[in-house]
Amino acid sequence: SGAGYSSRVADLIDEVLNKAEEILVSCNCDSSCHKCLRHFWNQHIHKNLDRRTGLQLLRWVMYGILEAELSITEQKQKLDIIDKIIKLQSGNDDGVIEENGQLFVKIESNCMPVKVYSSMCAPSSIKNDKGAILLPDRLLGVAVPIAWRIIKEALC
């Protein structure tokens, strides 16, 4: 039933965690695949698996590091779906724009800063001196309609 394995894993915990980190870092899938997190026995939760969130949790456990804010590049990647939605609906130059190292969401004449943060963090831990719309990265991966509603409510 795994009890024997658990005591063996305890003896090899550093190797196990290092190998897990290596697997999560080296994979290039969007959220999870059979190379990193998926297998037959967890198929009922495949839609909930996210290697990036897993890596964040693992690094917090291993090193005590929790990167609250994502890089501008990572934020832009996460906001790409929102940019496409805005462009489809507006038909003009509206969308997600970058100015002076800050991202903004522009719809018609309304424009607000936006920040994508690690879903492992509480929104209150994010530096938000410009009153940006705050979106957890995981929300943009699994609940785009909710993220879109948050943006529209902030801009209207």
mmCIF file of all heavy atoms in Angstrom, residues 61-103:
data_model
loop_
_atom_site.group_PDB
_atom_site.id
_atom_site.type_symbol
_atom_site.label_atom_id
_atom_site.label_comp_id
_atom_site.label_asym_id
_atom_site.label_seq_id
_atom_site.Cartn_x
_atom_site.Cartn_y
_atom_site.Cartn_z
ATOM 1 N N VAL A 61 8.714 24.918 -0.983
ATOM 2 C CA VAL A 61 9.035 23.865 -0.017
ATOM 3 C C VAL A 61 10.550 23.675 0.087
ATOM 4 O O VAL A 61 11.105 23.588 1.182
ATOM 5 C CB VAL A 61 8.353 22.530 -0.405
ATOM 6 C CG1 VAL A 61 8.897 21.367 0.402
ATOM 7 C CG2 VAL A 61 6.849 22.638 -0.239
ATOM 8 N N MET A 62 11.220 23.629 -1.060
ATOM 9 C CA MET A 62 12.657 23.333 -1.071
ATOM 10 C C MET A 62 13.525 24.503 -0.614
ATOM 11 O O MET A 62 14.486 24.304 0.117
ATOM 12 C CB MET A 62 13.093 22.920 -2.488
ATOM 13 C CG MET A 62 12.559 21.573 -2.931
ATOM 14 S SD MET A 62 12.943 21.205 -4.668
ATOM 15 C CE MET A 62 14.728 20.973 -4.598
ATOM 16 N N TYR A 63 13.205 25.703 -1.083
ATOM 17 C CA TYR A 63 14.100 26.844 -0.869
ATOM 18 C C TYR A 63 13.480 27.990 -0.079
ATOM 19 O O TYR A 63 14.160 28.973 0.221
ATOM 20 C CB TYR A 63 14.568 27.408 -2.216
ATOM 21 C CG TYR A 63 15.077 26.376 -3.185
ATOM 22 C CD1 TYR A 63 14.409 26.145 -4.385
ATOM 23 C CD2 TYR A 63 16.208 25.613 -2.907
ATOM 24 C CE1 TYR A 63 14.873 25.198 -5.289
ATOM 25 C CE2 TYR A 63 16.673 24.663 -3.806
ATOM 26 C CZ TYR A 63 16.001 24.463 -4.994
ATOM 27 O OH TYR A 63 16.442 23.520 -5.885
ATOM 28 N N GLY A 64 12.198 27.912 0.196
ATOM 29 C CA GLY A 64 11.513 29.022 0.858
ATOM 30 C C GLY A 64 11.320 30.207 -0.059
ATOM 31 O O GLY A 64 11.097 31.326 0.394
ATOM 32 N N ILE A 65 11.412 29.969 -1.370
ATOM 33 C CA ILE A 65 11.284 31.039 -2.362
ATOM 34 C C ILE A 65 9.880 31.004 -2.942
ATOM 35 O O ILE A 65 9.416 29.976 -3.414
ATOM 36 C CB ILE A 65 12.311 30.853 -3.507
ATOM 37 C CG1 ILE A 65 13.734 30.954 -2.985
ATOM 38 C CG2 ILE A 65 12.055 31.860 -4.624
ATOM 39 C CD1 ILE A 65 14.777 30.543 -3.999
ATOM 40 N N LEU A 66 9.226 32.147 -2.912
ATOM 41 C CA LEU A 66 7.929 32.268 -3.542
ATOM 42 C C LEU A 66 7.935 33.563 -4.335
ATOM 43 O O LEU A 66 7.887 34.654 -3.760
ATOM 44 C CB LEU A 66 6.812 32.278 -2.500
ATOM 45 C CG LEU A 66 5.392 32.276 -3.039
ATOM 46 C CD1 LEU A 66 5.155 31.095 -3.976
ATOM 47 C CD2 LEU A 66 4.397 32.234 -1.902
ATOM 48 N N GLU A 67 8.056 33.436 -5.629
ATOM 49 C CA GLU A 67 8.083 34.608 -6.501
ATOM 50 C C GLU A 67 6.647 35.057 -6.724
ATOM 51 O O GLU A 67 5.887 34.402 -7.420
ATOM 52 C CB GLU A 67 8.777 34.276 -7.811
ATOM 53 C CG GLU A 67 10.240 33.934 -7.619
ATOM 54 C CD GLU A 67 10.933 33.523 -8.904
ATOM 55 O OE1 GLU A 67 10.390 33.786 -9.992
ATOM 56 O OE2 GLU A 67 12.018 32.951 -8.796
ATOM 57 N N ALA A 68 6.303 36.170 -6.116
ATOM 58 C CA ALA A 68 4.931 36.668 -6.178
ATOM 59 C C ALA A 68 4.587 37.205 -7.563
ATOM 60 O O ALA A 68 3.536 36.914 -8.106
ATOM 61 C CB ALA A 68 4.722 37.749 -5.129
ATOM 62 N N GLU A 69 5.494 37.980 -8.123
ATOM 63 C CA GLU A 69 5.197 38.618 -9.399
ATOM 64 C C GLU A 69 5.922 37.912 -10.537
ATOM 65 O O GLU A 69 7.060 37.491 -10.402
ATOM 66 C CB GLU A 69 5.574 40.091 -9.345
ATOM 67 C CG GLU A 69 4.712 40.849 -8.336
ATOM 68 C CD GLU A 69 4.922 42.341 -8.376
ATOM 69 O OE1 GLU A 69 5.274 42.875 -9.443
ATOM 70 O OE2 GLU A 69 4.725 42.965 -7.324
ATOM 71 N N LEU A 70 5.225 37.821 -11.631
ATOM 72 C CA LEU A 70 5.798 37.217 -12.835
ATOM 73 C C LEU A 70 6.512 38.299 -13.644
ATOM 74 O O LEU A 70 6.200 39.485 -13.515
ATOM 75 C CB LEU A 70 4.673 36.603 -13.678
ATOM 76 C CG LEU A 70 3.914 35.494 -12.974
ATOM 77 C CD1 LEU A 70 2.451 35.546 -13.331
ATOM 78 C CD2 LEU A 70 4.482 34.169 -13.361
ATOM 79 N N SER A 71 7.425 37.881 -14.491
ATOM 80 C CA SER A 71 8.099 38.837 -15.370
ATOM 81 C C SER A 71 7.084 39.406 -16.358
ATOM 82 O O SER A 71 6.022 38.825 -16.584
ATOM 83 C CB SER A 71 9.234 38.145 -16.132
ATOM 84 O OG SER A 71 8.695 37.260 -17.106
ATOM 85 N N ILE A 72 7.419 40.538 -16.953
ATOM 86 C CA ILE A 72 6.540 41.158 -17.952
ATOM 87 C C ILE A 72 6.279 40.179 -19.095
ATOM 88 O O ILE A 72 5.144 40.055 -19.565
ATOM 89 C CB ILE A 72 7.148 42.479 -18.483
ATOM 90 C CG1 ILE A 72 7.144 43.555 -17.390
ATOM 91 C CG2 ILE A 72 6.407 42.973 -19.714
ATOM 92 C CD1 ILE A 72 5.767 44.029 -16.979
ATOM 93 N N THR A 73 7.299 39.454 -19.518
ATOM 94 C CA THR A 73 7.143 38.474 -20.596
ATOM 95 C C THR A 73 6.142 37.395 -20.217
ATOM 96 O O THR A 73 5.260 37.047 -20.999
ATOM 97 C CB THR A 73 8.508 37.837 -20.947
ATOM 98 O OG1 THR A 73 9.417 38.876 -21.300
ATOM 99 C CG2 THR A 73 8.388 36.844 -22.079
ATOM 100 N N GLU A 74 6.267 36.857 -18.990
ATOM 101 C CA GLU A 74 5.335 35.826 -18.527
ATOM 102 C C GLU A 74 3.920 36.381 -18.405
ATOM 103 O O GLU A 74 2.947 35.713 -18.768
ATOM 104 C CB GLU A 74 5.787 35.269 -17.174
ATOM 105 C CG GLU A 74 7.046 34.431 -17.240
ATOM 106 C CD GLU A 74 7.583 34.088 -15.867
ATOM 107 O OE1 GLU A 74 7.664 34.983 -14.992
ATOM 108 O OE2 GLU A 74 7.910 32.909 -15.657
ATOM 109 N N GLN A 75 3.806 37.618 -17.909
ATOM 110 C CA GLN A 75 2.487 38.237 -17.788
ATOM 111 C C GLN A 75 1.842 38.424 -19.156
ATOM 112 O O GLN A 75 0.653 38.145 -19.338
ATOM 113 C CB GLN A 75 2.590 39.586 -17.077
ATOM 114 C CG GLN A 75 2.950 39.481 -15.609
ATOM 115 C CD GLN A 75 2.969 40.831 -14.942
ATOM 116 O OE1 GLN A 75 1.937 41.512 -14.890
ATOM 117 N NE2 GLN A 75 4.128 41.232 -14.435
ATOM 118 N N LYS A 76 2.636 38.877 -20.128
ATOM 119 C CA LYS A 76 2.109 39.067 -21.480
ATOM 120 C C LYS A 76 1.633 37.751 -22.077
ATOM 121 O O LYS A 76 0.584 37.693 -22.729
ATOM 122 C CB LYS A 76 3.172 39.707 -22.375
ATOM 123 C CG LYS A 76 3.323 41.200 -22.144
ATOM 124 C CD LYS A 76 4.515 41.788 -22.827
ATOM 125 C CE LYS A 76 4.381 41.893 -24.307
ATOM 126 N NZ LYS A 76 5.507 42.625 -24.927
ATOM 127 N N GLN A 77 2.376 36.680 -21.833
ATOM 128 C CA GLN A 77 1.962 35.366 -22.324
ATOM 129 C C GLN A 77 0.638 34.951 -21.707
ATOM 130 O O GLN A 77 -0.249 34.453 -22.395
ATOM 131 C CB GLN A 77 3.033 34.311 -22.017
ATOM 132 C CG GLN A 77 4.274 34.437 -22.850
ATOM 133 C CD GLN A 77 5.389 33.509 -22.387
ATOM 134 O OE1 GLN A 77 5.388 33.013 -21.266
ATOM 135 N NE2 GLN A 77 6.355 33.278 -23.268
ATOM 136 N N LYS A 78 0.503 35.150 -20.412
ATOM 137 C CA LYS A 78 -0.733 34.783 -19.724
ATOM 138 C C LYS A 78 -1.916 35.635 -20.200
ATOM 139 O O LYS A 78 -3.048 35.166 -20.274
ATOM 140 C CB LYS A 78 -0.585 34.930 -18.205
ATOM 141 C CG LYS A 78 0.437 34.020 -17.584
ATOM 142 C CD LYS A 78 -0.085 32.621 -17.487
ATOM 143 C CE LYS A 78 0.887 31.727 -16.763
ATOM 144 N NZ LYS A 78 0.439 30.355 -16.720
ATOM 145 N N LEU A 79 -1.656 36.911 -20.517
ATOM 146 C CA LEU A 79 -2.710 37.832 -20.937
ATOM 147 C C LEU A 79 -3.013 37.766 -22.429
ATOM 148 O O LEU A 79 -3.901 38.474 -22.914
ATOM 149 C CB LEU A 79 -2.337 39.265 -20.545
ATOM 150 C CG LEU A 79 -2.379 39.573 -19.052
ATOM 151 C CD1 LEU A 79 -1.687 40.889 -18.751
ATOM 152 C CD2 LEU A 79 -3.817 39.582 -18.542
ATOM 153 N N ASP A 80 -2.313 36.913 -23.148
ATOM 154 C CA ASP A 80 -2.507 36.812 -24.597
ATOM 155 C C ASP A 80 -3.958 36.498 -24.949
ATOM 156 O O ASP A 80 -4.522 37.080 -25.878
ATOM 157 C CB ASP A 80 -1.566 35.762 -25.187
ATOM 158 C CG ASP A 80 -1.673 35.696 -26.691
ATOM 159 O OD1 ASP A 80 -1.437 36.741 -27.347
ATOM 160 O OD2 ASP A 80 -1.992 34.611 -27.224
ATOM 161 N N ILE A 81 -4.595 35.620 -24.212
ATOM 162 C CA ILE A 81 -5.991 35.260 -24.482
ATOM 163 C C ILE A 81 -6.907 36.463 -24.272
ATOM 164 O O ILE A 81 -7.854 36.682 -25.037
ATOM 165 C CB ILE A 81 -6.440 34.032 -23.644
ATOM 166 C CG1 ILE A 81 -7.832 33.563 -24.077
ATOM 167 C CG2 ILE A 81 -6.426 34.338 -22.155
ATOM 168 C CD1 ILE A 81 -7.885 32.925 -25.421
ATOM 169 N N ILE A 82 -6.635 37.274 -23.269
ATOM 170 C CA ILE A 82 -7.426 38.484 -23.011
ATOM 171 C C ILE A 82 -7.225 39.477 -24.153
ATOM 172 O O ILE A 82 -8.180 40.086 -24.632
ATOM 173 C CB ILE A 82 -7.045 39.116 -21.647
ATOM 174 C CG1 ILE A 82 -7.346 38.159 -20.491
ATOM 175 C CG2 ILE A 82 -7.716 40.470 -21.462
ATOM 176 C CD1 ILE A 82 -8.809 37.812 -20.292
ATOM 177 N N ASP A 83 -5.987 39.615 -24.609
ATOM 178 C CA ASP A 83 -5.681 40.494 -25.736
ATOM 179 C C ASP A 83 -6.476 40.071 -26.973
ATOM 180 O O ASP A 83 -7.056 40.912 -27.669
ATOM 181 C CB ASP A 83 -4.174 40.463 -26.011
ATOM 182 C CG ASP A 83 -3.755 41.465 -27.079
ATOM 183 O OD1 ASP A 83 -4.036 42.671 -26.897
ATOM 184 O OD2 ASP A 83 -3.166 41.034 -28.083
ATOM 185 N N LYS A 84 -6.529 38.774 -27.239
ATOM 186 C CA LYS A 84 -7.272 38.262 -28.397
ATOM 187 C C LYS A 84 -8.769 38.531 -28.256
ATOM 188 O O LYS A 84 -9.431 38.908 -29.232
ATOM 189 C CB LYS A 84 -7.005 36.773 -28.575
ATOM 190 C CG LYS A 84 -5.619 36.488 -29.085
ATOM 191 C CD LYS A 84 -5.353 34.995 -29.183
ATOM 192 C CE LYS A 84 -3.919 34.777 -29.665
ATOM 193 N NZ LYS A 84 -3.539 33.377 -29.625
ATOM 194 N N ILE A 85 -9.307 38.354 -27.069
ATOM 195 C CA ILE A 85 -10.731 38.620 -26.837
ATOM 196 C C ILE A 85 -11.041 40.084 -27.102
ATOM 197 O O ILE A 85 -12.018 40.420 -27.786
ATOM 198 C CB ILE A 85 -11.143 38.222 -25.396
ATOM 199 C CG1 ILE A 85 -11.101 36.709 -25.226
ATOM 200 C CG2 ILE A 85 -12.528 38.770 -25.056
ATOM 201 C CD1 ILE A 85 -11.234 36.237 -23.785
ATOM 202 N N ILE A 86 -10.206 40.971 -26.565
ATOM 203 C CA ILE A 86 -10.431 42.415 -26.751
ATOM 204 C C ILE A 86 -10.375 42.766 -28.234
ATOM 205 O O ILE A 86 -11.234 43.485 -28.747
ATOM 206 C CB ILE A 86 -9.413 43.249 -25.947
ATOM 207 C CG1 ILE A 86 -9.632 43.042 -24.446
ATOM 208 C CG2 ILE A 86 -9.516 44.728 -26.306
ATOM 209 C CD1 ILE A 86 -8.522 43.609 -23.573
ATOM 210 N N LYS A 87 -9.379 42.265 -28.931
ATOM 211 C CA LYS A 87 -9.230 42.574 -30.361
ATOM 212 C C LYS A 87 -10.408 42.034 -31.175
ATOM 213 O O LYS A 87 -10.875 42.693 -32.105
ATOM 214 C CB LYS A 87 -7.904 42.040 -30.883
ATOM 215 C CG LYS A 87 -6.716 42.863 -30.382
ATOM 216 C CD LYS A 87 -5.420 42.377 -30.960
ATOM 217 C CE LYS A 87 -4.197 43.110 -30.510
ATOM 218 N NZ LYS A 87 -4.277 44.339 -29.792
ATOM 219 N N LEU A 88 -10.892 40.854 -30.837
ATOM 220 C CA LEU A 88 -12.049 40.291 -31.538
ATOM 221 C C LEU A 88 -13.301 41.136 -31.313
ATOM 222 O O LEU A 88 -14.097 41.336 -32.226
ATOM 223 C CB LEU A 88 -12.316 38.858 -31.076
ATOM 224 C CG LEU A 88 -11.432 37.781 -31.672
ATOM 225 C CD1 LEU A 88 -11.661 36.444 -30.960
ATOM 226 C CD2 LEU A 88 -11.710 37.621 -33.163
ATOM 227 N N GLN A 89 -13.469 41.633 -30.100
ATOM 228 C CA GLN A 89 -14.676 42.388 -29.776
ATOM 229 C C GLN A 89 -14.616 43.833 -30.239
ATOM 230 O O GLN A 89 -15.631 44.402 -30.604
ATOM 231 C CB GLN A 89 -14.960 42.331 -28.284
ATOM 232 C CG GLN A 89 -15.410 40.959 -27.839
ATOM 233 C CD GLN A 89 -15.912 40.932 -26.410
ATOM 234 O OE1 GLN A 89 -15.893 41.921 -25.696
ATOM 235 N NE2 GLN A 89 -16.380 39.769 -25.993
ATOM 236 N N SER A 90 -13.424 44.420 -30.229
ATOM 237 C CA SER A 90 -13.333 45.847 -30.547
ATOM 238 C C SER A 90 -13.026 46.110 -32.024
ATOM 239 O O SER A 90 -13.467 47.108 -32.576
ATOM 240 C CB SER A 90 -12.278 46.530 -29.679
ATOM 241 O OG SER A 90 -10.980 46.113 -30.065
ATOM 242 N N GLY A 91 -12.219 45.245 -32.620
ATOM 243 C CA GLY A 91 -11.855 45.450 -34.020
ATOM 244 C C GLY A 91 -10.910 46.619 -34.251
ATOM 245 O O GLY A 91 -10.754 47.089 -35.368
ATOM 246 N N ASN A 92 -10.279 47.113 -33.200
ATOM 247 C CA ASN A 92 -9.320 48.212 -33.369
ATOM 248 C C ASN A 92 -8.028 47.901 -32.624
ATOM 249 O O ASN A 92 -7.715 46.742 -32.400
ATOM 250 C CB ASN A 92 -9.947 49.548 -32.926
ATOM 251 C CG ASN A 92 -10.421 49.507 -31.485
ATOM 252 O OD1 ASN A 92 -9.872 48.804 -30.660
ATOM 253 N ND2 ASN A 92 -11.455 50.280 -31.173
ATOM 254 N N ASP A 93 -7.304 48.945 -32.222
ATOM 255 C CA ASP A 93 -6.002 48.752 -31.571
ATOM 256 C C ASP A 93 -6.094 48.493 -30.073
ATOM 257 O O ASP A 93 -5.078 48.492 -29.394
ATOM 258 C CB ASP A 93 -5.113 49.983 -31.811
ATOM 259 C CG ASP A 93 -4.703 50.110 -33.264
ATOM 260 O OD1 ASP A 93 -4.708 49.082 -33.964
ATOM 261 O OD2 ASP A 93 -4.388 51.233 -33.696
ATOM 262 N N ASP A 94 -7.279 48.307 -29.547
ATOM 263 C CA ASP A 94 -7.434 48.018 -28.126
ATOM 264 C C ASP A 94 -6.792 46.666 -27.801
ATOM 265 O O ASP A 94 -6.562 45.850 -28.683
ATOM 266 C CB ASP A 94 -8.906 47.968 -27.731
ATOM 267 C CG ASP A 94 -9.571 49.335 -27.788
ATOM 268 O OD1 ASP A 94 -8.856 50.339 -27.957
ATOM 269 O OD2 ASP A 94 -10.810 49.391 -27.671
ATOM 270 N N GLY A 95 -6.531 46.437 -26.534
ATOM 271 C CA GLY A 95 -5.956 45.166 -26.111
ATOM 272 C C GLY A 95 -5.034 45.352 -24.931
ATOM 273 O O GLY A 95 -5.147 46.311 -24.163
ATOM 274 N N VAL A 96 -4.102 44.418 -24.796
ATOM 275 C CA VAL A 96 -3.089 44.496 -23.743
ATOM 276 C C VAL A 96 -1.882 45.187 -24.345
ATOM 277 O O VAL A 96 -1.341 44.749 -25.363
ATOM 278 C CB VAL A 96 -2.721 43.092 -23.220
ATOM 279 C CG1 VAL A 96 -1.617 43.179 -22.174
ATOM 280 C CG2 VAL A 96 -3.948 42.392 -22.647
ATOM 281 N N ILE A 97 -1.471 46.280 -23.732
ATOM 282 C CA ILE A 97 -0.336 47.047 -24.244
ATOM 283 C C ILE A 97 0.722 47.195 -23.158
ATOM 284 O O ILE A 97 0.416 47.158 -21.973
ATOM 285 C CB ILE A 97 -0.778 48.428 -24.772
ATOM 286 C CG1 ILE A 97 -1.541 49.215 -23.695
ATOM 287 C CG2 ILE A 97 -1.623 48.280 -26.029
ATOM 288 C CD1 ILE A 97 -1.902 50.625 -24.082
ATOM 289 N N GLU A 98 1.951 47.369 -23.600
ATOM 290 C CA GLU A 98 3.065 47.578 -22.666
ATOM 291 C C GLU A 98 3.621 48.971 -22.866
ATOM 292 O O GLU A 98 3.900 49.380 -23.995
ATOM 293 C CB GLU A 98 4.164 46.547 -22.899
ATOM 294 C CG GLU A 98 5.334 46.697 -21.949
ATOM 295 C CD GLU A 98 6.473 45.709 -22.207
ATOM 296 O OE1 GLU A 98 6.309 44.815 -23.044
ATOM 297 O OE2 GLU A 98 7.526 45.862 -21.559
ATOM 298 N N GLU A 99 3.766 49.670 -21.771
ATOM 299 C CA GLU A 99 4.374 51.002 -21.783
ATOM 300 C C GLU A 99 5.281 51.134 -20.574
ATOM 301 O O GLU A 99 4.840 50.923 -19.450
ATOM 302 C CB GLU A 99 3.309 52.101 -21.739
ATOM 303 C CG GLU A 99 2.530 52.263 -23.010
ATOM 304 C CD GLU A 99 1.511 53.401 -22.922
ATOM 305 O OE1 GLU A 99 1.549 54.182 -21.939
ATOM 306 O OE2 GLU A 99 0.679 53.487 -23.825
ATOM 307 N N ASN A 100 6.526 51.459 -20.806
ATOM 308 C CA ASN A 100 7.498 51.706 -19.733
ATOM 309 C C ASN A 100 7.559 50.565 -18.719
ATOM 310 O O ASN A 100 7.562 50.787 -17.513
ATOM 311 C CB ASN A 100 7.201 53.027 -19.019
ATOM 312 C CG ASN A 100 7.215 54.207 -19.960
ATOM 313 O OD1 ASN A 100 8.044 54.272 -20.865
ATOM 314 N ND2 ASN A 100 6.298 55.129 -19.770
ATOM 315 N N GLY A 101 7.581 49.332 -19.196
ATOM 316 C CA GLY A 101 7.695 48.175 -18.322
ATOM 317 C C GLY A 101 6.453 47.855 -17.520
ATOM 318 O O GLY A 101 6.507 47.111 -16.545
ATOM 319 N N GLN A 102 5.316 48.414 -17.913
ATOM 320 C CA GLN A 102 4.038 48.181 -17.242
ATOM 321 C C GLN A 102 3.026 47.721 -18.282
ATOM 322 O O GLN A 102 3.037 48.201 -19.411
ATOM 323 C CB GLN A 102 3.557 49.486 -16.591
ATOM 324 C CG GLN A 102 2.152 49.452 -16.027
ATOM 325 C CD GLN A 102 2.062 48.762 -14.689
ATOM 326 O OE1 GLN A 102 2.877 48.994 -13.818
ATOM 327 N NE2 GLN A 102 1.074 47.911 -14.523
ATOM 328 N N LEU A 103 2.163 46.795 -17.902
ATOM 329 C CA LEU A 103 1.116 46.334 -18.800
ATOM 330 C C LEU A 103 -0.194 47.044 -18.492
ATOM 331 O O LEU A 103 -0.501 47.318 -17.334
ATOM 332 C CB LEU A 103 0.919 44.819 -18.658
ATOM 333 C CG LEU A 103 2.098 43.959 -19.102
ATOM 334 C CD1 LEU A 103 1.825 42.490 -18.818
ATOM 335 C CD2 LEU A 103 2.386 44.160 -20.584
#
